[in-house]
Amino acid sequence: MSLKIEKNIPAEWELLLQKKIPLSTYSFINKFLLNLDRSGKKFYPDSKSLFSSLKFCSPENIHVVIVGQDPYHSYGQANGLAFSVNTGTNLPPTLRNIFTELSSDLGFKKSLNGNLEPWAKQGVLLLNSILSVEESKPGSHYHIGWEVITNCILENISLNESVVFILWGKQAQKKEAIIHKKNNLIIKSSHPSPLSAYRGFYGSRPFSKTNNFLLANGKKPVNWNLES
């Protein structure tokens, strides 16, 4: 196995990150993941999907950012977009809770399809704070360098105007410190996982709040309805 994760960064993001991310950051992550693979341990998503969240929109066309913690840690779930799974995959409990809140907020029928690419194609960046995880070990890839990369992404997007940042969970909320708040909206709540959804995620209405803000600032609202 050969790893150069930086080769999978979409071209329109590569220039931005090239200027800000030291090569040593990529080198350390590459070495870490390669050693994991050589030891027979699995990580998710696969190396080609680590930057999939960036491939749908260029930095200047991001209008909404949903920030999660780290990817799903079970086989066949993580696809590189925070909270998303591929079409045909059973919905993880966290995603079911997101759809419950979406239904409550906007009245949509709960989707059985957990592929969130239709959101991404509308300028919604689905970004985890940490972009990889060891199988069955949530939180296992904190402090290997991902924070440097995702902080850079978020800080640069926040230099745009009228961007909504949705921060779900404590790890995501740590990102607030590097987001430029002027002219942007930050929506915070507990994580939508079964352990914390009842601690403030349910009833937070992030989807309608986002669209109200976008409309008020002359932007097109997001069509959150995955069944349409």
Side-chain angles (χ1 to χ4, degrees), residues 79-111:
N79 65 5
L81 281 69
F83 303 106
S84 178
V85 294
N86 289 329
T87 302
T89 303
N90 290 335
L91 300 184
T94 294
L95 189 52
R96 288 202 300 267
N97 290 344
I98 292 171
F99 288 165
T100 296
E101 176 61 19
L102 175 60
S103 178
S104 173
D105 188 4
L106 295 176
F108 296 147
K109 179 182 176 182
K110 294 180 188 178
S111 177

Side-chain angles (χ1 to χ4, degrees), residues 170-187:
K170 291 181 180 178
Q171 291 298 330
Q173 288 171 27
K174 289 179 181 179
K175 300 294 190 184
E176 183 177 6
I178 53 93
I179 294 171
H180 297 272
K181 299 173 180 62
K182 186 178 181 181
N183 301 321
N184 296 321
L185 174 66
I186 295 177
I187 300 172

